[in-house]
Amino acid sequence: MCIRDRDYGLNTAAGDSRYIVNTQLVKYGQINFDNDVAIEEIVSPSYSAVHYRKNPVCSNPEIVIKNTGKTLLTKATIAYMVEGYAKRTFQWNGNLDFMKTTNVILPTLSGKELRDGGIFKVWIENINETNDEYPKNNQLDVYKRQHITCPIIS
């Protein structure tokens, strides 16, 4: 092994020669709720640049849910609809630990709903066969911004 001295040609120091360090400490307390699920995002239908590869969609809506409660999430009733059309529900079953997320693919909407409908809405109706203790994170909407061309499927 060869060790060599390296000369960077720095003979003098100019200006302020000190390090300024800034830190933050974040400490979490106890989990606030036993039963709480959040809808983190709507993957499709969506106009988010993050999800351009999956949109515009002409079939199954996809959402991301997160268990923000202490209790293991095993069941969730998810309701969804396109404004102006009937509400639908989907029963999700699985095992989701605290602060874990999963993608949920909902049953298909008709092309007519996606083409002619208004706002796409999704919300949690209940979890683990009980009420969600913090309902403020249970609903998301996607507003229709542009015309999406989808085939009409009856």
Side-chain angles (χ1 to χ4, degrees):
M1 179 193 300
C2 180
I3 300 175
R4 297 176 192 240
D5 289 333
R6 179 72 61 177
D7 182 6
Y8 291 102
L10 300 175
N11 297 326
T12 61
D16 193 0
S17 299
R18 62 182 167 159
Y19 293 98
I20 300 172
V21 177
N22 184 6
T23 63
Q24 296 180 359
L25 173 65
V26 177
K27 183 178 178 183
Y28 294 98
Q30 294 296 315
I31 301 169
N32 292 331
F33 304 104
D34 288 328
N35 293 294
D36 181 34
V37 174
I39 298 178
E40 288 287 292
E41 64 182 321
I42 297 173
V43 175
S44 61
S46 174
Y47 296 107
S48 169
V50 175
H51 302 298
Y52 276 168
R53 292 190 69 156
K54 292 190 173 194
N55 287 285
V57 67
C58 294
S59 59
N60 300 70
E62 183 178 348
I63 63 170
V64 178
I65 61 172
K66 179 191 270 186
N67 182 7
T68 50
K70 191 183 315 182
T71 305
L72 177 73
L73 178 66
T74 57
K75 294 181 183 178
T77 303
I78 301 167
Y80 61 106
M81 66 182 289
V82 174
E83 190 175 65
Y85 292 88
K87 176 184 101 167
R88 299 168 189 233
T89 58
F90 175 73
Q91 183 67 43
W92 176 86
N93 295 293
N95 290 301
L96 199 58
D97 288 321
F98 174 65
M99 297 306 282
K100 299 294 181 187
T101 62
T102 189
N103 287 41
V104 178
I105 298 175
L106 301 170
T108 191
L109 294 167
S110 73
K112 183 172 175 42
E113 287 175 278
L114 291 168
R115 187 189 68 218
D116 298 337
I119 300 167
F120 174 76
K121 299 180 179 194
V122 61
W123 65 96
I124 304 288
E125 289 197 331
N126 67 55
I127 58 172
N128 293 338
E129 298 179 355
T130 188
N131 289 330
D132 190 304
E133 295 173 23
Y134 186 70
K136 291 184 178 183
N137 60 3
N138 287 5
Q139 179 174 338
L140 283 180
D141 304 335
V142 171
Y143 296 90
K144 188 173 180 181
R145 294 190 321 188
Q146 63 190 24
H147 180 73
I148 300 174
T149 303
C150 295
I152 296 176
I153 303 170
S154 298

